[in-house]
Amino acid sequence: MARIVMKFGGTSVANLERIHNVARHVKREVDAGHEVAVVVSAMSGKTNELVDWVHNVPKVAGADSPFYDAREYDAVVASGEQVTSGLLAIALQSMDINARSWQGWQIPIKTDNAHGAARIQEIDGSDIIRRMGEGQVAVVAGFQGIGPDNRISTLGRGGSDTSAVAIAAAVKADRCDIYTDVDGVYTTDPRVEPKARRLKKIAFEEMLEMASLGAKVLQVRSVELAMVHKVRTFVRSSFEDPDAPGMGDLLNPPGTLICDEEEIVEQEVVTGIAYAKDEAQISLRRVADRPGVSAAIFGPLAEAHINVDMIVQNISEDGTRTDMTFTVPSGDVDKALAVLGDNKEQIGYDVVQSESGLVKVSVIGIGMRSHAGVAATAFKALAEKGINIKAITTSEIKISILIDGPYAELAVRTLHSCYGLDKN
């Protein structure tokens, strides 16, 4: 017998037929004698609808600005998961399975006060553990908790993944199964490279890089939590037949296991290629090279909640001036330029330039720690295809390369092939 947390995303619970299919997946684990908790997202498209309602209410009321109270935003958008959890509990009850729905505040999942993007601070899993021990399936509304102001809080888009991993850690689950519309984590996006392979295992650190650098399989915070608490996490497909051979395998079900590096016996040099579109590059020319200039640039950007990624600094020959180049999401360019303009006097630059429509392609692998020449291989392969590199950043287990947008798919396929990821 094991204790399992199962999470199902919006496409997996998009309608009543799919909710019934999810119930069959849950029944399989219950019939095997496992203690089960289930975390669900809102039905596909429902959160977007609720968010639109919140955004449009002030307009309908004739307000001059689209302002709304973030606490009420959370009250509205959290209702999508509440509906799904109740419907799945009813579906399980109709199969003669003892099940009960739970909202975040009932557990409770305690968060900070950042409504709309709250972070989990504490989960008391004792009541759910007791109920699971009595044979009851806990069906938990994901994406939500309760803030210190005693009001519903939400964890940001994709937050149900984080809910599931956090609950798995709180109840000391043997594993956390993330069911989605793909059957695992691939070496790259199969829509770009048809030769992409599904990985049997991937280390937490690699998955964290993949998620933060463009892979949409899991929310970044959920991977962070899994790594900190060492929650063994499987990415699985909810569209597989629940009763297909191997689906009930406790140790090696179909999908990709995200686990500690020590569990991976044969480590590949490169595990995968990720990419992120809609990157923009901003360059500040002839900035005075003095202590505190970096803080003067990036401090105001951070206060404006603008995520800065790749940073490149070039010092002039006489050492008195520097060019500072960095990337931000394309959607934040105008906001970033406005912030820089407001702080021009404190920063002391001559001119600011920007370029949108860029793509960041990243090579990821824990094996890179002990192998030389990985970066050189990438640069050579891209050069042979005539792809110009605009910026480069590296860490122990990844290389990120900024290129022009039209070359994105060619670059992904080229790098996937040059590291042998298209071979079984």
Side-chain angles (χ1 to χ4, degrees), residues 201-274:
K201 293 181 179 180
I202 183 170
F204 289 126
E205 286 182 86
E206 292 173 318
M207 191 65 237
L208 187 57
E209 293 285 8
M210 294 277 278
S212 64
L213 294 168
K216 300 293 193 293
V217 180
L218 288 174
Q219 191 204 41
V220 173
R221 270 196 289 164
S222 69
V223 185
E224 289 174 345
L225 270 176
M227 183 165 66
V228 169
H229 296 284
K230 296 191 181 302
V231 176
R232 299 174 83 249
T233 305
F234 276 93
V235 177
R236 309 180 60 177
S237 171
S238 63
F239 299 120
E240 294 271 357
D241 184 341
D243 300 317
M247 288 296 286
D249 188 330
L250 177 62
L251 298 177
N252 295 294
T256 299
L257 172 63
I258 307 168
C259 59
D260 197 85
E261 184 179 337
E262 296 171 359
E263 282 197 56
I264 302 175
V265 179
E266 294 185 16
Q267 296 175 354
E268 300 290 339
V269 177
V270 172
T271 299
I273 312 295

Side-chain angles (χ1 to χ4, degrees), residues 163-376:
S163 299
V165 173
I167 289 169
V171 302
K172 296 179 170 56
D174 295 284
R175 72 170 199 243
C176 178
D177 291 354
I178 306 289
Y179 286 83
T180 181
D181 52 0
V182 295
D183 61 354
V185 180
Y186 280 72
T187 49
T188 195
D189 187 342
R191 294 169 298 181
V192 173
E193 174 50 89
K195 294 179 182 177
R197 294 182 292 109
R198 187 178 74 190
L199 299 164
K200 285 186 67 67
K201 293 181 179 180
I202 183 170
F204 289 126
E205 286 182 86
E206 292 173 318
M207 191 65 237
L208 187 57
E209 293 285 8
M210 294 277 278
S212 64
L213 294 168
K216 300 293 193 293
V217 180
L218 288 174
Q219 191 204 41
V220 173
R221 270 196 289 164
S222 69
V223 185
E224 289 174 345
L225 270 176
M227 183 165 66
V228 169
H229 296 284
K230 296 191 181 302
V231 176
R232 299 174 83 249
T233 305
F234 276 93
V235 177
R236 309 180 60 177
S237 171
S238 63
F239 299 120
E240 294 271 357
D241 184 341
D243 300 317
M247 288 296 286
D249 188 330
L250 177 62
L251 298 177
N252 295 294
T256 299
L257 172 63
I258 307 168
C259 59
D260 197 85
E261 184 179 337
E262 296 171 359
E263 282 197 56
I264 302 175
V265 179
E266 294 185 16
Q267 296 175 354
E268 300 290 339
V269 177
V270 172
T271 299
I273 312 295
Y275 68 98
K277 293 184 176 180
D278 297 323
E279 295 284 311
Q281 186 179 63
I282 295 176
S283 298
L284 298 176
R285 303 298 183 191
R286 296 176 292 282
V287 181
D289 188 23
R290 55 180 170 76
V293 69
S294 294
I297 296 170
F298 299 113
L301 292 171
E303 290 172 7
H305 305 290
I306 297 169
N307 184 35
V308 174
D309 186 18
M310 309 172 82
I311 302 174
V312 179
Q313 184 175 5
N314 296 314
I315 308 295
S316 64
E317 192 172 335
D318 62 6
T320 62
R321 294 275 175 174
T322 180
D323 287 347
M324 190 78 76
T325 299
F326 54 91
T327 62
V328 299
S330 287
D332 286 340
V333 170
D334 291 341
K335 187 177 178 183
L337 293 176
V339 169
L340 294 169
D342 291 341
N343 291 272
K344 183 175 182 179
E345 188 174 330
Q346 294 91 321
I347 298 169
Y349 61 85
D350 279 358
V351 66
V352 60
Q353 299 170 332
S354 65
E355 182 180 4
S356 298
L358 305 179
V359 169
K360 178 174 60 181
V361 182
S362 302
V363 178
I364 299 152
I366 51 178
M368 292 166 59
R369 288 179 180 145
S370 54
H371 286 77
V374 178

